[in-house]
Amino acid sequence: MKDIRFNISLYIIIPVIFAGIAILSIIVTYNTTMYYLAKSLNPQWPVVWWGMLLIAFTLISGILIVKLLIDPVKRFVSKTKDLGIVKNVKQPTNASAATDDMGKFTMVFEQVSELLSKVEARQLFPDIIGESKVMRGVFNQIVKVAPKESTVLVTGETGTGKELIARSIHQHSKRQDKPFVAINCAAIPETLLESELFGYEKGSFTGANTKKPGKFELADGGTLFLDEIGDMPLETQAKVLRAIEENTIERVGAIKPTKVNVRFIAATNRNLEKMVENGRFRQDLFYRLNVFSILLPPLRHRREDIPLLTEKFLNEMGPERHLSSEALQLLMTNDWPGNVRELKNALESAAVLTEKKILPSNLPFSLMRKDGTKGSPIHVHQAELALNGNADLDRRIKHFEREIIVDALRQAGGIQVKAAALLGIKERSLWHRIKKHQIDITEFKP
């Protein structure tokens, strides 16, 4: 026998049930009243008894519906807590408001969603280390633009990993089985850049003993990544623009153009809009490249990724190396103008000095001497020297945390919003930490 089922939304079923109860109560009440009035009897008590019966029926129906809906949710939340799935997930900012059942359920669902988004980020982008919200926003942009053929412009400071983003776009595109060719426009002299991009014919200039294909031809069918395109000469920019618009190139010394099928991804650490205003970058090329823009955040705007990056770099240097909590605090408070590249270099420098535990004293001196700059770690270093060597770990961590917060408040002039931004945390989180450490905020206000 054929199983016929209809799937109806709970948003329809539950209102219909209670509307049906209300309609039934009106009909029965009306008929009961009319019946007793027709017999010249007082309908008061029959209506009262019917009302009480209706209240009991409605109450039981409500309890059954809530039980059917809430029990599975309770079992899910209970099992999630027992498995410890959300134990290490950062709690939402409104976690203190989760005092009732619905608040607790909402908080757990948010934590599970947070965890699943991090797992998805790890699976889709194994080569990029980053689980912060800003990085997951970047991943979301990559997933959306990768299957398209749109030109992508990746902007961000030096050392943020723009080429990794470009490679990820290629790996998630329809061209993933085709070549990915990268060229750094700033690393090649102006006189050689054109021939590197477009290639040259034999005998086209002195030393051209053989025909050589350029990067455009090598990337045919795949993706061409033009890194540091802001350093490209204006004359070469005009030829690149023509290649992008017409999908054709001309080798140096060639008579006929060559057809190419290339997807373009460009990257720069410069402000191309200002360069256009100053006449140092072609406006038409800028508009042609800036079809879809991805802004890669600097490391100081995603400090929560620093422990993950640190762990990855140290594992590459050897599994026996690990970071002390004091050194990690120092890394977390640094501004990192060189971003991920600077962090990696700092850890490599520290790894030369020790084969096991990396202490603050092993880190480059440049991290210790930034007195007076944003996120300055100098007070952390002084706190480390002032602590008794026999202090337990919890006490030391608590002391370092207090010093870091005091340092941020001092730089922010006691303004908690600015101090929270310096520390890379929410204002509410900073307020709780100030209260925990009994810090007098008025000491830092001018």
Side-chain angles (χ1 to χ4, degrees), residues 10-27:
L10 290 174
Y11 288 103
I12 298 175
I13 293 176
I14 294 175
V16 165
I17 289 174
F18 284 98
I21 293 173
I23 293 170
L24 179 63
S25 66
I26 292 170
I27 293 172

Side-chain angles (χ1 to χ4, degrees), residues 153 237 241 271-273 276 281-291:
L153 178 63
Q237 288 178 27
L241 175 64
N271 189 330
L272 292 185
E273 291 186 12
V276 168
F281 197 86
R282 292 183 63 98
Q283 186 180 51
D284 45 8
L285 178 59
F286 171 69
Y287 290 139
R288 193 64 186 81
L289 292 173
N290 196 29
V291 175

Side-chain angles (χ1 to χ4, degrees), residues 163 166-168 170 178-182 218-219 222-225 265:
E163 184 170 343
R167 288 186 181 276
S168 294
H170 173 73
K178 301 296 182 180
F180 175 86
V181 179
L218 294 175
T223 303
L224 178 62
F225 175 52
I265 302 176

Side-chain angles (χ1 to χ4, degrees), residues 337-397:
N339 294 292
V340 179
R341 187 180 296 132
E342 184 186 1
L343 173 64
K344 185 177 182 180
N345 291 340
L347 291 171
E348 286 181 356
S349 174
V352 173
L353 301 176
T354 179
E355 295 182 356
K356 292 185 179 180
K357 189 174 184 179
I358 296 178
L359 301 172
S361 56
N362 302 131
L363 293 170
F365 183 69
S366 59
L367 302 184
M368 308 290 185
R369 65 185 181 189
K370 295 179 181 179
D371 190 13
T373 61
K374 189 174 84 170
S376 170
I378 192 167
H379 299 288
V380 179
H381 185 55
Q382 290 172 349
E384 179 202 4
L385 297 176
L387 272 177
N388 189 330
N390 297 324
D392 60 78
L393 181 61
D394 290 339
R395 184 185 160 205
R396 292 169 69 88
I397 292 175

Side-chain angles (χ1 to χ4, degrees), residues 290-302:
N290 196 29
V291 175
F292 188 90
S293 179
I294 296 177
L295 174 61
L296 201 54
L299 188 56
R300 62 182 173 273
H301 291 168
R302 56 183 187 107

Side-chain angles (χ1 to χ4, degrees), residues 163-180:
E163 184 170 343
L164 283 176
I165 299 299
R167 288 186 181 276
S168 294
I169 294 172
H170 173 73
Q171 289 165 3
H172 289 84
S173 71
K174 297 174 183 177
R175 300 171 179 259
Q176 57 184 323
D177 298 327
K178 301 296 182 180
F180 175 86

